[in-house]
Amino acid sequence: MRGADLADPVPVQLLAEDGTFTEHPTFSRYIEGLDDETLRELYRHMVLERRFDTEATSLQRQGMLALWVPALGQEAAQTGVIAALQPTDRVFPTYREHAMALYRGVKPEELMGMFRAATHTGWDPHKYNFNGYSVVLASQVMHAVGWAMGIKQDLATGALDEGRAEDELVVACLGDGATSQGDAHESMVFASSYELPVLYFIQNNQWAISVPQHTQSRVPLAHRAAGYGFEGLRVDGNDVLATYAVTQYMAEQIRAGAGPKLVEAVTYRIGAHTTADDPTKYRTQEELEAWKRRDPILRYRTWLEAQSILTAEATEQVDQEAAALAKDLRAAVHSLEPIPLERIFDTVYAEPHRQVEVEKAWLKDYEAGFAEEGQVSDK
Amino acid sequence: MSQTFNLPDVGEGLTEAEIVSWHVAKGDSVEVNDVICEIETAKSLVELPVPFAGTVEELVAGEGETIEVGQPLIRISAEGAAADEPQRPTEPQAQAPDNGAAGAEAPSTGASEAEQKTTDDVSEEQNQALVGSGPKADAPKARPRTRPAELDLVDISDLDVPAGSQRSPVPGRTPSGPAGGAAADVVRSATPPVRALAKRFGLDVAELVGTGPAGRVTRQDVEAQAQQGAAAGSETVDTTLSAGPREEQVRVRGVRKATALNVSASASEVPHVSVFKEVDVTRTMELRSALRSDASYQQLNVSPMLFAAQAIIWAAKRNRQVNATWHGSHYTLCNYVNLGIAAATPRGLVVPVIHDAHAYTLQGLAAAITALTADAREGKTTPAQMQGGTISITNIGSLGLDFGTPILPPGQATIVVLGAVRTKPWIVDGNIVPRQVMTIGGSFDHRLIDGDLAGAFISDVATIMEQPGLLIS
């Protein structure tokens, strides 16, 4: 246990709000080796997500999506973590990890299927090593730990699936609210007892819908890890470099067999919880403005420009790419077709199941029982 | 070509929204995602971005207007876009309500000519909007069903069905099957909700002939049989109670809405307890007659309520806990009485408050009650006049009633209810004599007030009503 870390609730920070870089005895070294291209990529991914997110909110407001879950303000936390991982690492997201999904290559139409209620999960989790979004709070944390147990068993029996890396790490994403779920607790007990290769990535965005973080926990959420016997660190989630460095630091140890670790990225949800939420009802404008001044993209861009890593042309290019992505997204949403009814039932079990067949037949019959457009009823 | 942006469902199952303000005017040019207006839904204030670029042709709904999801909001004439796509009406998702097209079917949807017209103008883009993705936007506008949907989700194909239990296909009643037919036969004959419905009508599904699949008894079969039975028992069939539509939808607003909110909150949060006492108020009524002939009480309301108000103030002083507000972790004891007077007005129930009622003389109180009730009846009661009550009084005697268990006004622990004054036989010194008698009771917040305290308080009120002279001492 690193007692010093536990006693210090101040999040690890490399980039201050004004974009100035401060050396850190443990974490600076993870940044020093990064080339300019990699650093620009971090910026690019954050900007792409933000534009994507804004467009999705508009599409919801135009009736094209049933719901949208904005990730505005959390771009650095998500990008920092996903960029520090290997493509072979498996991610179990909540429903807000859009930056991570896009980073892994999930396509706009795949991401939007669920939010238009056209599909259940829009993408193949195995293709991107990125699981489907999980709307049931903290359920994905159990899935992550189960997956990690599988890895451990496979390694023990030498039956690792082809194509899976021996040093695979599993990321369990959760929010501050989900830490209060029993599932989160149980998963941490198992992850610790079995010394599983799990990285808990908590995005503490301060609000669980309308419940403030201090109601969820009287101590920093990172301190929860100590209770289960593993290490937890707080990082400034609006500092993409610090988030990247801390994730690398944790991942190194997990891959070396140290068991689970926890990163609490302290950030802020600039937007609403979802498009069906009105945050002005429970939080103040002053609080929002204070967090806007800690904007993750602005801070990072200021530093990149000061280092002459990001030129005006490069910025313009990223903005253009973001605009194109927004356009693609709009087109993709318009082209989404609902999946056939059958698929809902056909994918419940691998083999035919009598009860599911009965239910499928019933629903088809029910759906067929509606009048056609404009057909006048007999009554 | 003109494109219409219909009001979308911006929050999981919303059905309507109010236009708070327009940010654009006719003739303005807009880009995709420009904010055109602010709307207020049941959930939140929302800025709406427009999905088309072009020139604003028409703002269909005005500020302050509430429109339903799916109704036209704004029309934009597109720049250079030709109407090359054949226009078709809004095509909803499966089960989603369809505002325009369904209008052809049911007059109750109130689809106007204007709405019919708009469906023709709807652009291809609009056709893909989700409408009513949530649970509330349901029944009245959904596409009609061509046949009933039977919930029949249990596969019993492998249960034994004994021979002879098959029902006769001849319409009408069938001979009863073998006594104690197999469970499978009962299950097969009708679905659980249909069996439940039959039970409510007092019908036995085994005696009905089913018209459903495999001879199953359907909801319609049960309803038809029940109607036949009902028709046989009545000569004339009046479809309504009096002239007018069979059912009316009445919007809840104003005092009705406020009352509903208050009493729902109070009834669900506060455990009410009630006690009653029958009291001989003959002396109070004598005092009342005396005051009525007193010149200084002319024009003033000298009712039993006036004396009850005095009695309540006196009794509250002796039983402090009835004059309090519950806050969960603590409660506030009030060292004053703000007396609420429940008044039935043309607008509904209003409870104006006499602040510091304990500071008034009897005559002052009479004047205050007179003024307050007059204001209430004329609808002049201000919101401030309805705030801050600590104890209320409701006079159901004026309605000719004797007992009642009123709901406590928000924040109050006591409401006293006064019954009608009636001449009744009463035992005085062992003799039956006619006396003027009324029932006094009340509802109390049981979290603060147990039955013994409620009883002591009501008994004290009763004592004064019985012996108003005690107030002088």
Side-chain angles (χ1 to χ4, degrees):
Chain A
M1 279 286 70
R2 280 165 176 76
D5 293 333
L6 271 181
D8 184 8
V10 177
V12 174
Q13 191 187 63
L14 296 176
L15 277 183
E17 284 174 35
D18 61 4
T20 51
F21 189 90
T22 311
E23 293 284 332
H24 190 286
T26 312
F27 299 108
S28 298
R29 69 183 178 90
Y30 294 97
I31 302 303
E32 282 156 13
L34 298 180
D35 59 25
D36 288 359
E37 186 52 35
T38 308
L39 291 170
R40 275 194 294 269
E41 276 293 282
L42 293 176
Y43 173 77
R44 175 176 160 261
H45 280 286
M46 290 198 286
V47 172
L48 290 182
E49 198 292 321
R50 182 166 292 186
R51 183 67 189 86
F52 182 88
D53 210 300
T54 315
E55 192 70 14
T57 298
S58 291
L59 284 163
Q60 197 281 336
R61 293 299 185 225
Q62 289 156 3
M64 300 302 294
L65 298 175
L67 185 76
W68 179 244
V69 185
L72 297 179
Q74 299 176 222
E75 300 91 348
Q78 295 183 9
T79 305
V81 168
I82 194 81
L85 299 172
Q86 300 294 328
T88 45
D89 295 334
R90 183 81 164 200
V91 178
F92 288 78
T94 70
Y95 41 73
R96 204 188 295 278
E97 274 68 78
H98 315 315
M100 299 177 96
L102 293 171
Y103 190 99
R104 278 290 172 91
V106 174
K107 296 180 179 60
E109 63 271 25
E110 292 178 320
L111 190 55
M112 286 301 152
M114 187 175 112
F115 293 102
R116 195 174 155 77
T119 59
H120 277 176
T121 298
W123 60 89
D124 176 1
H126 301 309
K127 186 173 160 193
Y128 305 109
N129 251 333
F130 190 82
N131 248 48
Y133 275 172
S134 182
V135 176
V136 179
L137 282 191
S139 60
Q140 74 284 359
V141 180
M142 298 287 241
H143 304 157
V145 168
W147 185 269
M149 283 184 90
I151 293 173
K152 186 120 183 168
Q153 301 276 8
D154 285 350
L155 284 172
T157 58
L160 199 66
D161 284 348
E162 205 177 325
R164 298 223 72 87
E166 287 196 12
D167 65 347
E168 178 176 343
L169 178 158
V170 183
V171 179
C173 300
L174 67 163
D176 44 301
T179 61
S180 295
Q181 295 283 118
D183 284 2
H185 164 79
E186 290 166 31
S187 80
M188 288 182 188
V189 169
F190 272 75
S192 182
S193 296
Y194 288 86
E195 297 183 302
L196 299 176
V198 177
L199 176 65
Y200 284 94
F201 169 39
I202 300 177
Q203 286 170 80
N204 174 3
N205 69 14
Q206 311 303 324
W207 289 95
I209 308 187
S210 58
V211 179
Q213 197 267 320
H214 56 75
T215 304
Q216 304 283 350
S217 175
R218 289 171 182 269
V219 297
L221 292 171
H223 289 193
R224 291 274 162 97
Y228 304 100
F230 55 93
E231 185 185 7
L233 272 179
R234 296 190 107 192
V235 62
D236 181 346
N238 285 12
D239 174 355
V240 69
L241 294 181
T243 311
Y244 178 91
V246 166
T247 307
Q248 283 254 311
Y249 164 85
M250 290 299 209
E252 258 176 21
Q253 297 176 67
I254 296 170
R255 290 191 216 284
K261 300 278 176 184
L262 185 152
V263 171
E264 178 196 357
V266 180
T267 181
Y268 194 76
R269 190 190 80 214
I270 294 293
H273 171 71
T274 69
T275 45
D277 168 50
D278 180 359
T280 62
K281 287 182 178 167
Y282 51 81
R283 63 186 196 188
T284 64
Q285 190 63 26
E286 293 77 50
E287 178 184 303
L288 180 63
E289 293 304 326
W291 278 97
K292 278 185 172 172
R293 285 195 290 277
R294 298 172 206 170
D295 185 80
I297 297 182
L298 187 63
R299 179 190 310 192
Y300 186 50
R301 181 171 154 174
T302 306
W303 180 74
L304 286 177
E305 286 173 349
Q307 304 295 306
S308 304
I309 296 170
L310 194 67
T311 60
E313 299 95 276
T315 313
E316 174 60 25
Q317 207 177 335
V318 170
D319 287 346
Q320 277 175 13
E321 190 186 348
L325 177 67
K327 214 172 164 188
D328 287 353
L329 170 63
R330 182 164 284 270
V333 166
H334 282 232
S335 67
L336 278 175
E337 293 288 341
I339 56 165
L341 272 182
E342 288 81 2
R343 232 186 93 189
I344 299 168
F345 297 93
D346 293 345
T347 49
V348 175
Y349 294 109
E351 291 167 6
H353 184 282
R354 193 176 75 165
Q355 184 60 39
V356 173
E357 290 301 315
V358 170
E359 290 175 10
K360 179 167 82 174
W362 181 87
L363 186 61
K364 281 175 80 169
D365 180 64
Y366 176 87
E367 289 292 340
F370 285 99
E372 290 298 313
E373 288 300 324
Q375 179 183 330
V376 177
S377 160
D378 297 336
K379 287 186 180 170
Chain B
M1 167 190 149
S2 159
Q3 295 179 297
T4 304
F5 180 32
N6 293 348
L7 180 69
D9 172 8
V10 296
E12 290 185 284
L14 296 172
T15 54
E16 60 177 28
E18 181 187 327
I19 316 297
V20 176
S21 61
W22 279 108
H23 294 196
V24 294
K26 189 176 172 180
D28 287 358
S29 68
V30 292
E31 294 296 323
V32 171
N33 291 344
D34 278 356
V35 171
I36 49 161
C37 66
E38 189 173 40
I39 60 170
E40 181 162 22
T41 70
K43 285 182 177 174
S44 55
L45 277 173
V46 172
E47 289 184 332
L48 279 190
V50 69
F52 325 112
T55 307
V56 177
E57 195 177 280
E58 185 191 357
L59 307 180
V60 185
E63 288 183 0
E65 209 174 306
T66 297
I67 68 170
E68 288 185 21
V69 167
Q71 285 194 347
L73 188 65
I74 189 171
R75 290 191 223 286
I76 310 283
S77 57
E79 317 159 323
D84 48 1
E85 289 275 352
Q87 302 300 302
R88 60 190 171 100
T90 307
E91 185 179 323
Q93 304 287 306
Q95 297 184 59
D98 171 18
N99 293 302
E105 183 270 321
S108 61
T109 61
S112 65
E113 290 291 315
E115 280 176 77
Q116 287 295 319
K117 182 172 166 286
T118 60
T119 55
D120 297 329
D121 294 339
V122 166
S123 73
E124 200 58 26
E125 170 135 13
Q126 184 55 43
N127 290 344
Q128 295 165 328
L130 297 170
V131 176
S133 57
K136 276 177 94 179
D138 236 341
K141 290 193 194 152
R143 269 184 296 152
R145 293 195 62 79
T146 53
R147 54 190 153 84
E150 291 294 336
L151 198 63
D152 184 15
L153 290 176
V154 182
D155 180 3
I156 51 149
S157 55
D158 58 347
L159 291 182
D160 286 337
V161 182
S165 67
Q166 301 285 347
R167 275 185 306 279
S168 153
V170 181
R173 294 183 177 233
T174 56
S176 293
D185 191 36
V186 177
V187 172
R188 178 184 286 262
S189 62
T191 59
V194 172
R195 295 206 299 276
L197 182 70
K199 202 171 170 185
R200 280 210 298 280
F201 284 126
L203 300 171
D204 182 357
V205 288
E207 298 196 348
L208 298 178
V209 171
T211 60
R216 199 173 289 131
V217 176
T218 67
R219 181 172 289 272
Q220 282 177 335
D221 296 337
V222 173
E223 284 169 352
Q225 183 62 42
Q227 255 177 18
Q228 262 181 34
S234 64
E235 289 184 358
T236 56
V237 186
D238 277 338
T239 56
T240 59
L241 212 47
S242 57
R246 193 167 175 79
E247 285 181 349
E248 268 183 278
Q249 306 302 324
V250 182
R251 186 170 289 278
V252 178
R253 50 166 54 137
V255 176
R256 183 80 264 139
K257 194 168 178 178
T259 303
L261 287 173
N262 283 339
V263 296
S264 305
S266 184
S268 61
E269 278 167 28
V270 183
H272 285 60
V273 62
S274 291
V275 296
F276 297 95
K277 188 177 173 75
E278 220 176 3
V279 197
D280 173 5
V281 294
T282 311
R283 286 197 180 88
T284 289
M285 298 310 279
E286 286 166 5
L287 179 57
R288 178 190 184 217
S289 303
L291 290 182
R292 279 189 155 179
S293 49
D294 186 318
S296 63
Y297 280 86
Q298 294 308 311
Q299 313 296 326
L300 297 184
N301 179 341
V302 187
S303 65
M305 190 200 275
L306 171 63
F307 303 100
Q310 284 260 297
I312 287 166
I313 293 164
W314 185 78
K317 199 170 166 185
R318 291 162 55 97
N319 305 278
R320 290 195 61 197
Q321 195 132 335
V322 303
N323 189 24
T325 300
W326 180 261
H327 299 293
S329 59
H330 68 284
Y331 58 89
T332 308
L333 279 177
C334 300
N335 202 5
Y336 55 87
V337 175
N338 289 348
L339 191 66
I341 311 279
T345 76
R347 295 162 62 224
L349 176 65
V350 173
V351 190
V353 175
I354 301 172
H355 291 91
D356 288 337
H358 57 280
Y360 286 76
T361 61
L362 187 64
Q363 193 191 349
L365 207 53
I369 292 175
T370 307
L372 223 53
T373 46
D375 278 357
R377 293 212 174 90
E378 289 164 30
K380 290 185 192 160
T381 307
T382 62
Q385 281 177 312
M386 289 190 268
Q387 300 296 315
T390 62
I391 296 182
S392 285
I393 182 167
T394 177
N395 181 15
I396 62 169
S398 61
L399 308 172
L401 303 173
D402 299 306
F403 303 89
T405 53
I407 304 289
L408 287 160
Q412 300 182 29
T414 299
I415 180 166
V416 174
V417 57
L418 305 177
V421 178
R422 300 186 189 284
T423 305
K424 282 191 180 179
W426 201 254
I427 310 282
V428 179
D429 297 333
N431 300 313
I432 300 174
V433 290
R435 299 289 285 183
Q436 291 187 288
V437 175
M438 108 194 275
T439 302
I440 297 176
S443 296
F444 300 86
D445 184 342
H446 207 331
R447 296 172 301 185
L448 271 167
I449 300 160
D450 295 333
D452 60 343
L453 176 62
F457 171 74
I458 288 297
S459 293
D460 280 347
V461 174
T463 299
I464 296 299
M465 296 298 278
E466 226 162 40
Q467 297 282 358
L470 284 174
L471 281 182
I472 300 166
S473 56

